[in-house]
Amino acid sequence: VKFAKSLGMKPDKWQTAALRSTAPRVLLNIHRQGGKTTTTAILTTHTVVYKPNSLVLIVSPTQRQSTELFRKVLNYYRQLGKPVESEAENMLSLVLENGSRVISVPGSEAGIRGYSADLVLIDEAARVPDSVFEAVSPMLAVTGGRLIVMSTPAGRRGFYYEASMSDRWEKHTVIATECPRISAEFLEDEHGTLGELSYRQEYLCEFVDAAGAAFTGDDIDAIWGGCAPPRSEPHPVAEVARMSEPERVALEQQRYMSGLTRQRGSRERARALGQKLCQHRWSPDRSHCMWCDKQSEETKAC
Ligand SMILES: Nc1ncnc2c1ncn2[C@@H]1O[C@H](COP(=O)(O)OP(=O)(O)O)[C@@H](O)[C@H]1O
Ligand SMILES: [Mg+2]
C-alpha cells in the first residue's frame, strides 16, 4: 500500500485489502473502471522489484488486453526510476537484473504451458476459456504461487462463476455506486445506454443470465433437479472443440463404453457378416486399441 502511494495512487478500501492480501487465490469481482488492472499492475511491479527470481504471468482473453496491463507495469517501473536495472524490456516482457520477469501472454492453454509462475494474473477472467484455468492450477501447485483473477461477471457458467461461488477463494466485490470516482449521473446514463442486464453485469457485478439466452440458469438447474448433468452426456460442441486430442479421445472412449455412440444392432450385424467386432480406435501413441485394449503388434493384421 505504501508502494502504491509512492506511485501517486491513493488506494480505495478494497484496493488496500487486495494489495495486503496473501491469500493463494483471490477473485476481484469489481465493476468496470473500478481499478482492477491498476491495482494488479502495482502488485506486479512490487513483486518483481522486491522478490528476486520471481515470475509474474499476465493472462487475459487476448494479447492486446494482456499488453494493456503489462504496459501499466512498465510505466510504474519507469516512474519509480528503475530501482532494479532491466536486462530486457519489450512490449511482451520485462526481465530484471535480479532475475525477476513479467511476461504477458494471450489467454490460451498453449500460451501458458511450460511456465512456473509465482504470481498469475488473469484479467477479464470471465471471458477466458476454462481450459486456461485448468492449465494454470498445476503450474502453481509446483511453485506455491498465487492466482488472482479479476473481471466483471459474464453469465452463470464457467470457471469464474464457479470460483465466485466457492469458499476456496478470497473474494472482493465492489459495485460502481461505491466508487468515489464514478458519479450517479454517469451511471444513470450508462444504465440507459446498456440496458438492464448489461448494466447489472458491468456495474453492479451481478452474475445474470446472458441477454438472449433461451433458458434462464434457474430453468436449467430445475431441469437437472439441482444436479450437474452426468459426465456421459454428449458434451456441447464448443467444449469439445476446446479439448486437446488426448482429452477428446478419452471422452470418445468414455462415451463408447457407456453405450452412447454404439449403434443399435451393430454387434448382430457384424456377427452376421462374419466381421470382427472391434474396429480399432488407436490410442494417441498408437500402442493399443482404446476400445478392446489390444496391443497394436497383435492386431496390425486385424
Ligand atoms: N485508487 C485510485 N485512485 C485514482 N484513480 C484510480 C484508482 N484506481 C483506479 N484508478 C483509475 O481508474 C481508471 C480505471 O482503472 P482500471 O484499473 O483500468 O479499471 P478496471 O481494470 O477495473 O476496469 C484508470 O484511469 C485508473 O488510473
Ligand atoms: Mg481492466
Side-chain angles (χ1 to χ4, degrees):
V1 172
K2 263 191 189 167
F3 188 75
K5 287 180 182 165
S6 76
L7 286 162
M9 182 213 188
K10 189 172 172 295
D12 296 343
K13 204 167 149 212
W14 77 265
Q15 290 173 322
T16 301
L19 287 168
R20 289 194 173 135
S21 168
T22 54
R25 283 176 168 62
V26 179
L27 182 144
L28 306 176
N29 180 18
I30 312 290
H31 62 91
R32 199 193 271 190
Q33 290 291 301
K36 302 179 284 300
T37 303
T38 305
T39 307
T40 48
I42 287 175
L43 188 64
T44 301
T45 316
H46 184 274
T47 304
V48 290
V49 166
Y50 283 97
K51 193 173 171 213
N53 301 313
S54 53
L55 170 61
V56 182
L57 209 58
I58 298 172
V59 186
S60 59
T62 62
Q63 182 65 61
R64 185 189 59 76
Q65 286 163 306
S66 297
T67 305
E68 204 54 42
L69 202 163
F70 177 72
R71 202 192 295 264
K72 285 204 175 195
V73 175
L74 266 189
N75 285 345
Y76 286 136
Y77 169 69
R78 288 170 185 164
Q79 192 183 328
L80 284 168
K82 304 191 178 184
V84 179
E85 275 303 313
S86 67
E87 279 181 1
E89 274 174 57
N90 57 47
M91 285 318 294
L92 301 177
S93 64
L94 169 67
V95 182
L96 300 187
E97 276 186 351
N98 66 2
S100 291
R101 290 174 297 158
V102 186
I103 299 178
S104 99
V105 292
S108 75
E109 201 188 324
I112 57 175
R113 270 195 193 281
Y115 290 113
S116 290
D118 299 87
L119 174 63
V120 177
L121 307 174
I122 308 187
D123 203 357
E124 304 295 345
R127 283 115 189 138
V128 163
D130 283 2
S131 56
V132 170
F133 291 97
E134 284 152 20
V136 162
S137 287
M139 171 204 296
L140 293 167
V142 175
T143 55
R146 301 177 69 211
L147 172 59
I148 302 182
V149 299
M150 63 202 104
S151 190
T152 52
R156 295 199 283 158
R157 62 188 149 68
F159 187 95
Y160 186 74
Y161 170 63
E162 279 161 27
S164 79
M165 306 288 282
S166 157
D167 293 338
R168 292 180 59 230
W169 290 75
E170 177 182 293
K171 286 163 273 183
H172 301 259
T173 301
V174 180
I175 62 174
T177 51
E178 296 169 308
C179 179
R181 292 174 296 282
I182 298 186
S183 69
E185 295 73 47
F186 173 80
L187 288 180
E188 206 178 306
D189 198 43
E190 283 288 273
H191 197 164
T193 311
L194 294 176
E196 185 64 20
L197 284 182
S198 296
Y199 176 77
R200 279 167 54 197
Q201 178 170 283
E202 297 300 321
Y203 288 104
L204 304 184
C205 307
E206 288 181 27
F207 287 87
V208 291
D209 293 306
F215 301 98
T216 66
D218 288 341
D219 290 339
I220 293 166
D221 286 348
I223 290 168
W224 298 111
C227 299
R231 286 303 284 176
S232 56
E233 283 297 314
H235 283 233
V237 174
E239 197 180 323
V240 175
R242 282 203 301 268
M243 288 177 171
S244 63
E245 174 63 13
E247 282 170 338
R248 246 194 312 267
V249 168
L251 173 67
E252 194 178 324
Q253 183 185 23
Q254 180 197 344
R255 292 181 60 199
Y256 179 82
M257 292 306 179
S258 66
L260 271 169
T261 56
R262 275 182 221 157
Q263 280 179 5
R264 275 169 105 192
S266 60
R267 195 164 270 264
E268 288 68 30
R269 240 192 341 266
R271 264 206 200 99
L273 290 168
Q275 287 174 344
K276 291 194 186 243
L277 289 177
C278 187
Q279 294 174 353
H280 296 301
R281 176 71 161 97
W282 296 112
S283 58
D285 65 358
R286 306 199 63 77
S287 66
H288 65 282
C289 167
M290 295 188 308
W291 289 348
C292 71
D293 216 25
K294 277 196 177 173
Q295 304 302 305
S296 57
E297 283 310 311
E298 298 170 45
T299 54
K300 256 180 197 154
C302 172

